[in-house]
Amino acid sequence: MIRIVLPAIVDLAAAVALADKLLTATAAATLDAAGVERIGVAGLQLLLCARTTADVAGVPFVIERPSEALLDAMRLIGTEQLLVPASAR
């Protein structure tokens, strides 16, 4: 399992770097999102794509310890329930 700590600011540049890490991962991914202070649309789109890809491949994809900023962004676009289990909210 690959473990990735998300940066404080998940902007387009951070999303590109994260995409590279996820694309080279050959196993399940766990993302530690405790330190996210701001996330843009590109970051949210990447998380949704990563979740879908993991689901299709049948491998776990977990966002651990989502920050309030991340949860707020997910709520704003209606993706919270798709990305984070209720127990982690």
Side-chain angles (χ1 to χ4, degrees):
M1 178 175 289
I2 184 172
R3 182 173 183 77
I4 299 170
V5 177
L6 296 179
I9 308 300
V10 186
D11 56 9
L12 180 58
V16 169
L18 178 58
D20 287 341
K21 288 180 184 179
L22 289 171
L23 285 172
T24 59
T26 57
T30 298
L31 305 181
D32 183 340
V36 174
E37 296 172 9
R38 189 175 75 230
I39 186 166
V41 173
L44 290 168
Q45 287 176 323
L46 176 64
L47 294 179
L48 286 168
C49 288
R51 159 65 68 201
T52 301
T53 301
D55 288 349
V56 168
V59 296
F61 177 81
V62 179
I63 299 175
E64 288 184 340
R65 305 181 320 138
S67 68
E68 278 304 311
L70 178 58
L71 291 174
D72 287 345
M74 289 178 188
R75 285 183 198 113
L76 184 65
I77 65 166
T79 60
E80 180 185 24
Q81 70 282 358
L82 298 175
L83 291 170
V84 180
S87 61
R89 292 184 230 151

